[in-house]
Amino acid sequence: MDWTLIFTAIGAVATVVSTIIAVKAKNESKKILEQIKEEHSRNIKNKGKVNVSNSGDNSGILIGNNSGDIHR
């Protein structure tokens, strides 16, 4: 078999998969943008995983309100 044909097929499959993922991400971002634009909605919902980590020494003053929850 010709290696060029194999590499072309692999590239085509990778392009299709990448396009599908990009379209799904675009649609999800549209949903979030619509929720942000709604005046009456202050709650933005999104499925996914959030990882927050911190290491090191921290000092200072934190001023503000927590407007969300992080569940483990």
Side-chain angles (χ1 to χ4, degrees), residues 12-50:
V13 170
T15 301
V16 169
V17 170
S18 176
T19 303
I20 291 170
I21 292 171
V23 169
K24 286 183 179 181
K26 183 187 85 161
N27 291 338
E28 184 68 24
S29 65
K30 277 185 176 181
K31 289 178 188 176
I32 294 171
L33 183 60
E34 287 173 6
Q35 290 179 2
I36 291 171
K37 287 183 176 180
E38 289 179 11
E39 289 185 31
H40 301 295
S41 175
R42 299 291 181 227
N43 297 320
I44 299 170
K45 297 178 183 177
N46 188 17
K47 294 178 183 177
K49 187 175 182 181
V50 176

Side-chain angles (χ1 to χ4, degrees), residues 57-65:
D57 296 327
N58 299 296
S59 63
I61 300 172
L62 177 65
I63 300 172
N65 294 325

